[in-house]
Amino acid sequence: MTDTIDRVAIVTGGSGGIGRASALRLAAGGVAVVVHFHGNKERADDTVAAITARGGRAIAVGGDIAEERTATELFDVAEREFGGVDVLVHTAGIMPLSPIAQLDLDEFDRIHRINVRGTFVVDKLAAQRLRPGGAIINFSTSITRLQAPNYGAYAASKGAVEAISLILARELRGRDITVNTVAPGPTATPLFLDGKRPELIEQIARSNPFERLGTPEDIAETVAFLAGPARWINGQTLFVNGGAA
């Protein structure tokens, strides 16, 4: 089992639902956290305050993760403030919904810039700079298997994330760094709930045997497992969805 004390994590999208829950869960286990945000500094600062109020270590850093220069600053800050980087938790992403036939191609490009290029940039940096014993945790979605209408561009971007993760795991042979992808099902975050009618949310919630939506904390438990003790899980996509089919 990998000791989490003195480990350092970067959590992209740390001001959002799953990112925030992941940052809080890692900090509770003794991990120092760089909380990344892009546009919601107040929420990121609140996450940092919640961590430090409980005796943890955290700092907020803003920037566009699809730009190598600004993404590099995340790693520079982690090394400068905490001594290095052991874990990358890459939750940052967007999820505009539209039928494929109606999706504006500029919106398609924006989805792929953030979800695919952003993943490639931060994974590239993590592959260069994570210490031995490290973990890269990317985020996909159970929609890649559930095939719900209106999610075509989003699911395509997350299929690319899975491919990047699986290949990077093999490329890091001999480095003692794991690379896995977490694929949540419907989870009660602003990203998921925005724009959905209450009756649709209830219908979706009943699609798994627990008959509820996942919570960010449900997903964060899997993140903490992959970030620390799960050293023999590598090159995998883990579907964390309560058994949704």
Side-chain angles (χ1 to χ4, degrees), residues 18-36:
I18 291 174
R20 174 182 167 86
S22 297
L24 292 171
R25 177 63 181 83
L26 290 172
V31 178
V33 183
V34 175
V35 179
H36 161 264

Side-chain angles (χ1 to χ4, degrees), residues 94 96 102-114 153:
I94 60 172
Q102 299 171 19
L103 181 65
D104 184 272
L105 289 179
D106 287 342
E107 188 73 336
F108 179 88
D109 289 344
R110 188 171 76 94
I111 294 167
H112 282 256
R113 181 185 183 278
I114 295 172

